[in-house]
Amino acid sequence: IGHVIGRNGAALKQLEERCVVHVDIDKVGSKIHLHGSDEALDLAVVEVENITLAIEEDVELPSLLVTHLMAKRSAKLNKVQEDHPDVHIDFSRNGNTAQLRGRPEKVVVAKNDLLSFDVKKVTRKLEGRETAFVVGKGGATVNRLVDDHDVVINISNTDSNSSEVEIIGFEGNINAALSEIEDILYKNEEIEEILLVQPMQRNKLLENSGATVKVIQAEINNMIGSNGIGVLLVFEKRPKEDMHSKDLTKLAIKTSRMSMKEAKKLVQQHIDAFDSKVRQVDVEPSLIPAIIGKGGANINALRKECKGADVDVDKDTGVIKIFSDDDETKEVIVKAIEKIVAENQTTFVEVEKNVIGAIFGEVGKEMRNSIIDGMGVNIGIDPSDSKINLRGTVEKITEAAKVLEEFIADNFTSEFDVSPDDEALLFHGGSDSLLNRIEADHDVKANFRKQRHVLAIRGREENVNTAVEAVSKFFNGGDGFGVEKLKVPEGVLGIVIGKGGSNISKLEKDYEGINIHVHRNSNYLSIRGPVEKVNECRVDIITLMATSRVTELVPLSPGQHEILAQPDIMKKITNDINVNVTLSDASLKIRGVSTDVADTKAILMEHLTGEYEASIILEPSQFSKVSAAVRDPSHFERIRKATNASIRMDSTESAIIISGKRSSVKKAKTFLTGVLDFLLPSQFAKVKVPKPLVKSMNDPAAIAKISADSGSTVSFDRDLHCFQVQSSKPESVFQATEMLKARLSECEKLVVVVRLDASDLWLLPKIIGKGGETVKELQEESGCKFDISKEELLVAISGESEDAVSTAKASLDKIIEQARKECVFVNIPDSAMSAFIGKGGTNIRQLAEDHDVDIERLRKEPSCIRIQGDEASVEGAHVAVIAWLNDWEASHVGKTVELEEAFIPAILGKQGSTVSTIQRATRCKIDIDRRGLTLTVRGGDESNREEALNKVNEIIDEEKKKILEREAEILENKKKKNVLNESTEAPDSDSNGHSQPEFASRPVGLTIGESKVIKPNNTKNQFASRPVGLTIGESKVIKPNNSKNPTKKKDKITGDNKPSNKSSTAAQNLFNLLVSDPRQNQPTEVLTKGSEDGTCDSSTSSTTGVSAITEINEDNVNDIHLGGHYKSSSGFSVRV
């Protein structure tokens, strides 16, 4: 009843009015009495039933939906109320709850309609003035967006310069509203466009604090109105130094996008209007200074005379622009400019640059006065320094040009470069000096310009040319006049000069017509005179320098003295160097020829300081060329990184200085000689000398004679064991090289070298004997000298005749042959070694006792035993061991294959893991003979052995694949980095077709006479000449290593890629750069002379399958001939 009555009877009153009835309420009896017509009563009953049968339901709605429905004039809420008039919807309660009241079935429908609404929210960030554009004046824009798109829009500030707009509504409405917002922002976005303006117009626009610009801005803003943002016109800022630049300047127009078109159009109209008032006059750029006047006097006078006009001059192009609102004013200025142009016509006279000084100096003063004062013509230098410009009337400049041309003809000038060392020669002789003689003989004027080191000769052209020829002949020689320059070691300079110059005077007296000049600032002296006399004098001086003994005193600290006083230190320092050293408390005195003294001092300083220093001395012309080539620091930097040596150029000595550890210096020298060979083609050569031949080859007098006769500089490099030959004349280098090779050939006849394999180290004590008795006896019997090097495993025999050397060699062969009979090595398979030794060594001891020999297993080669004793006993024991092996082999049938040494590590695996895995998988035993380079598979049946060998072959194939991949990668890197850019010349000939120095046909040239190869313990059947991969064959009984019965020949898989005997210098240098590690365990043998076709006897083949023996170190990089693979400490793998 309360709902029927309503608050204060409002509902009851509405019911009576709508249905036209009278309603009485019986609250006590809870009855409602209706009075009216039948139709009205029916309608009222329905109304009352709707009220009395209605239910109330609170519906929880999404907050966004409530926000949207509660918004002002929400169309969606109005639509729901229209669709459900019998349901009362109330949002008056707090929260997101809506109260629905009506009959149950109608409440359900209205509820479902409300919950079906999908309201979303989108936010967008607004920056700067964007908020104002979205809100609009007084909120007009945002209210319109809300009404047009039925959305709720909230804008909140996030910070002082930005805000966030929140749009709530249905998705389609939101998208439409957001799209319109983006459009608003796009149209109101401030953009900038550029117009190019002439400098003159820029200045006009910016006059009076930019008043004209402000007027244009105001005009554009009035046109735009209140919509959008205003316009701003801004000229680009220029540095002070560019303020008077004639380049177009930029005018930036800043305004909204929707206003830009009109703004730009209006600005362009103003620019066009200005351009229409500008008149342009083009003149020659050379006339611009006359038009401007001194200090701008002329141009300023025009501006002052013509008020309101402006004149802009481009000095570079000769363009003059005149601005004025008045055409008559512009015409006045044009007439004035034309008058100045007529009075300033120009012409030019071409001139050599070296004559300019005479024209504008004291010499040309009179000529200049006649042109400037007498003719009223201005004279100046063209910026190109190749023309003299004349300015005035046409008549006057024509007359002036004739005067100038005559002066130039009388003052032709040529310059001659004079090296600082030769400058003193110009003035030597006082009144009879070269300078005075040139002037008197050729009617010229000569002036030496010290700052530029040039001699300027001035006069008539024909006289100057003959004078220059005379000067060139004096300094460089020619036409029978010779000039030679010699570098004199500092310690020898005083000897060459003599006391009070006595030696120089004697030489000048002995060789009539020559003049010897000692340069003040360097250790050079020059010889001038008739060619024949100069050459004879040169020979004497070179011989004197090479053979003179000098003394150098090296001061020592107490600590250094203590170091040198230790036993054998001085012997190590002076080893193989012919010098005398005397050690005192405070110094060390070194006496010998200058080169030996310098080498000794370098080694001495290495012991004292830990740093070794060496040098490569060049001729001055060569030094200049090399210096220019290595200005790029990367050239030396690569060598420094590869060798850890320091490299620098010393201009005072014309030398390349290398310092660091001695091994590093030697490597660096090797690379540098390759660089010099490339930079100085045919001007630089090397002749290798084996160590045993150094003493006999390096005779100072003989080398001095070669140097003098060939005209080259010849020096011995102890670090590289080679003679270095250099000269700017390729024919001199070739001649000296041939002479050195001839001398080397003679020395070879008196020396023979026997090289031993690393496995034959045991032979050296036999050759030396107890207390050196054996070698002393050999020397006494033969009269030859025996030099034994344990480090290099060689014995060098030298004598006074070939017969003596041959006899000594035969005696040595006899000792070695006997030693081999008394000491035999036998390889025992690993799987057989335990059985051979026996339990507790019983078998091997019994065998030794039975034959009265010593038998021991080698520690370094566990698969090898050594038998020692007298010849007969050793032979018997050897036969017994072989017999035992034959029996063992008969009961342990296997398959044997050959393999390359390089593949053994891969087959074994880390700590033998790979070979162990194969053995377990195939139930076979695998024995690897490192000496014989064979692999034998025993045990199991035939299929097991085949399987084991197949697995080994797979490992080898995989290794080969990796090698090929590395080779391809190296080749690709070589192409990318151009690491071989210096390998442009063949190593066998120079640019003149001359054969380059090469030491014999063998890699390390050295066996003298018909010496035979001293073979190692193993014969050829144990060392494959070219082991490549694996070849399977049934193993048979092992014969003795030196047995007459041949061992079973093993098949081999061989390739066609034979190692090359020759390689280019660049390739050798690359090899040494990549492979910094010295090759270990390099097999060595006596080197024999190669056959005529350049090949070597196969009996010299080494255990690595290399067809000739070489030493791979920095001492003989020109003789590389390798096989197999090498891995350096830097990680490179190289396959040769």
Side-chain angles (χ1 to χ4, degrees), residues 256-271:
S256 65
R257 193 182 302 276
M258 62 182 177
S259 303
M260 177 57 73
K261 184 176 179 180
E262 291 298 325
K264 188 175 180 183
K265 178 180 177 181
L266 188 56
V267 172
Q268 187 63 53
Q269 288 174 357
H270 280 274
I271 293 174

Side-chain angles (χ1 to χ4, degrees), residues 918-936:
I918 297 174
Q919 289 179 147
R920 287 194 300 271
T922 59
R923 290 177 291 180
C924 295
K925 176 66 178 176
I926 298 176
D927 292 322
I928 296 177
D929 183 356
R930 288 181 178 269
R931 280 194 168 218
L933 292 179
T934 60
L935 179 146
T936 303

Side-chain angles (χ1 to χ4, degrees), residues 441-557:
D441 294 346
H442 302 283
D443 189 22
V444 295
K445 294 293 182 181
N447 178 33
F448 179 66
R449 297 169 182 172
K450 189 171 182 64
Q451 288 184 337
R452 294 171 50 215
H453 303 292
V454 296
L455 177 63
I457 303 174
R458 177 170 52 83
R460 302 295 294 184
E461 183 173 2
E462 58 274 15
N463 295 349
V464 170
N465 289 337
T466 56
V468 170
E469 289 177 6
V471 173
S472 177
K473 178 180 175 180
F474 179 82
F475 283 109
N476 301 323
D479 194 20
F481 188 83
V483 177
E484 288 286 350
K485 284 188 177 181
L486 297 176
K487 173 80 172 178
V488 184
E490 188 173 355
V492 184
L493 186 60
I495 298 174
V496 174
I497 296 173
K499 188 175 181 180
S502 58
N503 283 353
I504 296 292
S505 300
K506 183 176 182 303
L507 288 169
E508 290 179 339
K509 183 179 180 181
D510 292 344
Y511 300 101
E512 186 178 355
I514 71 162
N515 174 268
I516 300 174
H517 174 69
V518 179
H519 301 274
R520 295 178 180 178
N521 300 323
S522 66
N523 292 340
Y524 277 92
L525 63 80
S526 56
I527 312 168
R528 288 178 170 81
V531 172
E532 185 177 347
K533 296 296 183 181
V534 168
N535 289 337
E536 291 174 359
C537 182
R538 180 178 180 275
V539 171
D540 273 4
I541 293 176
I542 289 177
T543 304
L544 179 64
M545 290 190 300
T547 57
S548 296
R549 295 179 68 80
V550 299
T551 301
E552 182 159 355
L553 213 61
V554 181
L556 301 175
S557 66

Side-chain angles (χ1 to χ4, degrees), residues 546 576 595-596 686-707 714-718 721-725 736-751 798 997-999 1005-1006 1008:
D576 293 332
T595 53
D596 290 343
K686 294 191 302 181
V687 178
K688 290 290 295 181
V689 180
K691 287 184 180 179
L693 296 181
V694 168
K695 287 186 178 179
S696 55
M697 272 292 293
N698 193 23
D699 177 63
I703 298 306
K705 188 174 187 311
I706 291 174
S707 178
V714 181
S715 60
F716 181 70
D717 190 321
R718 294 184 187 278
H721 294 290
C722 71
F723 282 98
Q724 292 185 350
V725 183
T737 301
E738 292 300 312
M739 294 171 73
L740 284 170
K741 289 168 67 176
R743 175 170 173 76
L744 184 60
S745 179
E746 290 299 319
C747 292
E748 279 184 333
K749 296 177 182 178
L750 303 179
V751 179
S798 57
E998 183 179 328
F999 180 62
L1006 200 37
I1008 316 308

Side-chain angles (χ1 to χ4, degrees), residues 942-999:
E942 182 68 22
S943 62
N944 294 138
R945 293 192 290 273
E946 288 289 347
E947 182 183 357
L949 287 172
N950 288 337
K951 290 181 179 294
V952 171
N953 266 321
E954 289 174 2
I955 293 172
I956 291 175
D957 290 342
E958 184 64 28
E959 280 299 299
K960 288 181 178 178
K961 182 179 177 183
K962 291 178 181 177
I963 290 169
L964 291 174
E965 290 175 353
R966 287 195 294 265
E967 287 177 346
E969 183 178 355
I970 291 172
L971 182 60
E972 183 65 23
N973 289 337
K974 179 181 70 173
K975 291 178 181 178
K976 289 181 179 178
K977 299 180 180 177
N978 198 20
V979 294
L980 290 181
N981 57 354
E982 68 265 34
S983 59
T984 56
E985 294 190 50
D988 296 328
S989 62
D990 61 20
S991 59
N992 297 320
H994 297 140
S995 174
Q996 288 292 320
E998 183 179 328
F999 180 62

